[in-house]
Each structure stands twice: as C-alpha cells, then as structure tokens.
Amino acid sequence: AQSVTQLDSHVSVSEGTPVLLRCNYSSSYSPSLFWYVQHPNKGLQLLLKYTSAATLVKGINGFEAEFKKSETSFHLTKPSAHMSDAAEYFCVVSGRGGNEKLTFGTGTRLTIIP
Amino acid sequence: EPEVTQTPSHQVTQMGQEVILRCVPISNHLYFYWYRQILGQKVEFLVSFYNNEISEKSEIFDDQFSVERPDGSNFTLKIRSTKLEDSAMYFCASSDLGGTYGYTFGSGTRLTVV
C-alpha cells in the first residue's frame, strides 16, 4: 500500500517570494507521484507527474518538484509566487501499474499575501 | 485541450432518492474513475472501470453504488438510495492506457442530500 503525507495544511507566502509545499510518500515500490491543484469551486488540475524518469520534474505555471528517494520526499516549489497561485494543492501517489487508483494527501492550502 | 465533462455541476436530492451522476471522459481514454471529496476531507477513491467492468473498488463503494458506461461515451455513477453522508463533491477522471499523461479530472458534481 502507498500513502502520502503533506506536512503543512496551510502555507502563506508573499507575492514574488518562493513557494515550498512539502510532501513525503510511503510506498513499497517505486511509485508514480503527482501534484494536483484545486482552485476554489474548480476541478483538479494536474500540475506535474513523476514516473521514474528525471528526478526533477517541471510542471505548468512555473512549478517543479524533485523526487528524493533517500528522503522519500516529493516537495513542490516555485521561485516566485503569483496571486493566481492561491489554491489547494494535493500530493498524490499511485502504484506502478500505470492506471492504478490515486491516493491523495490531505492537501495544503496556499495563500498569497499581496 | 481535451476535457472530462461532468453533469450536473450541483445536485440536491432528498434522502432515500436515487441519483445518477454523469461524466463524459476523454474520447481516447480507456480507464475511468470516480472519486469523492467530503467537505473538509481528502479526496477518496471510489471505483475504477476498464473494458466495461470494474477493475478495482474501495470499501466505500458498497451495494448502494454502481457504475455504467451505457453508450460508449458516457460514464455514470448511480447511488440507489442516498444517505446524508453521501453529500460530497464527486469527481470523474479518465486516463489513457498506462496513464502516460496522468489522470484528467472533471470539474466535479456537488451532491447535497437533504
């Protein structure tokens, strides 16, 4: 079985400063890892996906995440926060089968301070 | 960009009534999923569907729930006799074979049981 732990339920940053959203995973084999974003009253949008290729994954809107096996982490970063980044972010893990169910973390609410 | 379409966006129903939530997955995707998110809680897997049959289901997906792909384009979730605790946002998702491009989610249907 696999699981993810999002270490912060709420993160606030000032506009223009870096964003760091932390995620640790647990899996008995090499997992697929995702970050999804949910804006208010919207669906879930895929930001990026890791599937055992490059450990540094670049996503949409300037976000990237680094897979660190030794630390079992998959933290999401962005160099400079924008007001439009305010949303709920979910770290997600799935099995290695490619179409297996997704297991979601509890989410991190990102607030951007003007 | 291809989208997963869900209808209705919001449905209110009385306890004990049957509801059908509808989804149109991306046309060349082969795997289909339903997830739900109870207010304030994390997104939970309900069921996955492939080749016209359920491939995996969670313990939440009991006999009150069923899924169907009635016409080759729609994918439906039926709840036979709704309970108050079924109130949630229900997300449909689809993925291509192998999940190469990740899982695409719809915008969700907010079900309110009164």
Side-chain angles (χ1 to χ4, degrees):
Chain A
Q2 56 264 352
S3 65
V4 289
T5 302
Q6 292 186 245
L7 300 170
D8 307 291
S9 59
H10 191 189
V11 169
S12 292
V13 301
S14 297
E15 189 176 15
T17 64
V19 174
L20 170 64
L21 305 183
R22 300 182 295 164
C23 173
N24 286 348
Y25 72 90
S26 174
S27 177
S28 53
Y29 41 76
S30 184
S32 292
L33 291 159
F34 311 78
W35 277 96
Y36 278 85
V37 61
Q38 184 181 29
H39 287 93
N41 300 314
K42 300 288 187 184
L44 296 157
Q45 182 184 20
L46 178 66
L47 276 180
L48 49 81
K49 173 184 177 183
Y50 167 78
T51 54
S52 77
T55 56
L56 183 63
V57 182
K58 292 190 184 299
I60 61 171
N61 301 334
F63 285 94
E64 62 183 36
E66 186 171 8
F67 175 76
K68 291 187 177 179
K69 187 175 180 179
S70 60
E71 299 176 9
T72 62
S73 69
F74 189 59
H75 301 334
L76 181 71
T77 59
K78 182 174 181 178
S80 177
H82 191 272
M83 293 301 295
S84 60
D85 295 329
E88 187 92 14
Y89 291 79
F90 294 96
C91 183
V92 181
V93 65
S94 77
R96 57 181 165 184
N99 292 106
E100 296 186 27
K101 67 179 182 183
L102 302 178
T103 300
F104 282 72
T106 50
T108 298
R109 180 165 299 278
L110 177 63
T111 299
I112 310 298
I113 303 165
Chain B
E1 189 170 327
E3 291 184 342
V4 173
T5 305
Q6 289 187 244
T7 55
S9 57
H10 192 186
Q11 178 149 4
V12 180
T13 189
Q14 288 198 324
M15 191 169 54
Q17 294 297 303
E18 174 184 286
V19 294
I20 297 176
L21 310 184
R22 303 181 191 278
C23 169
V24 179
I26 293 174
S27 59
N28 62 345
H29 282 185
L30 300 176
Y31 286 81
F32 315 111
Y33 313 83
W34 284 100
Y35 289 79
R36 79 172 185 189
Q37 184 181 29
I38 295 172
L39 189 64
Q41 299 184 24
K42 63 178 174 180
V43 178
E44 303 171 289
F45 168 76
L46 291 179
V47 65
S48 59
F49 191 87
Y50 170 71
N51 199 25
N52 283 320
E53 60 183 26
I54 290 173
S55 49
E56 187 176 359
K57 61 182 180 179
S58 72
E59 59 189 25
I60 302 168
F61 194 88
D62 60 21
D63 292 344
Q64 292 286 80
F65 292 88
S66 63
V67 289
E68 194 178 31
R69 189 158 162 79
D71 56 13
S73 62
N74 290 283
F75 179 51
T76 61
L77 174 69
K78 181 192 291 186
I79 309 174
R80 288 192 183 81
S81 178
T82 50
K83 309 183 187 77
L84 294 176
E85 54 264 37
D86 294 328
S87 295
M89 180 73 90
Y90 288 80
F91 291 105
C92 174
S94 68
S95 65
D96 60 313
L97 185 64
T100 308
Y101 301 104
Y103 302 68
T104 303
F105 282 81
S107 297
T109 293
R110 180 164 297 285
L111 176 65
T112 303
V113 182
V114 297

